[in-house]
Amino acid sequence: MTALSHIKPELAQDEERAVNRARNVCSDLQAGKDDATVAANANARFSGGSAGQLTDAQGAEIAKAVKASFCA
């Protein structure tokens, strides 16, 4: 959650939503999807709500943060 809040504070406002989205990012990683696809999917999953539309760079940052701190 801390890593997400550093990317954009609104990403960490709804912990349940963030955890669900992070699980989906982990599923992409475990499925062997390439980095660009994982980042694009993270962007799509985390965009919306209070976070608004995210940039491609933010999607890549989210994927990196989730991979480093959430996926087992």
Side-chain angles (χ1 to χ4, degrees), residues 17-28:
R17 179 181 188 266
V19 168
N20 287 335
R21 301 313 189 265
R23 283 188 186 118
N24 291 328
V25 171
C26 290
S27 292
D28 282 352

Side-chain angles (χ1 to χ4, degrees), residues 44-70:
R45 289 183 177 115
F46 281 86
S47 287
S50 60
Q53 183 60 42
L54 302 174
T55 66
D56 291 341
Q58 287 171 315
E61 289 179 51
I62 291 167
K64 182 179 175 182
V66 169
K67 182 178 181 179
S69 65
F70 188 81

Side-chain angles (χ1 to χ4, degrees), residues 2-54:
T2 301
L4 291 176
S5 67
H6 286 302
I7 296 166
K8 190 166 186 179
E10 294 85 355
L11 293 173
Q13 286 181 343
D14 184 341
E15 186 172 348
E16 182 178 346
R17 179 181 188 266
V19 168
N20 287 335
R21 301 313 189 265
R23 283 188 186 118
N24 291 328
V25 171
C26 290
S27 292
D28 282 352
L29 291 165
Q30 292 167 351
K33 294 184 180 178
D34 63 86
D35 289 344
T37 300
V38 173
N41 289 350
N43 183 324
R45 289 183 177 115
F46 281 86
S47 287
S50 60
Q53 183 60 42
L54 302 174

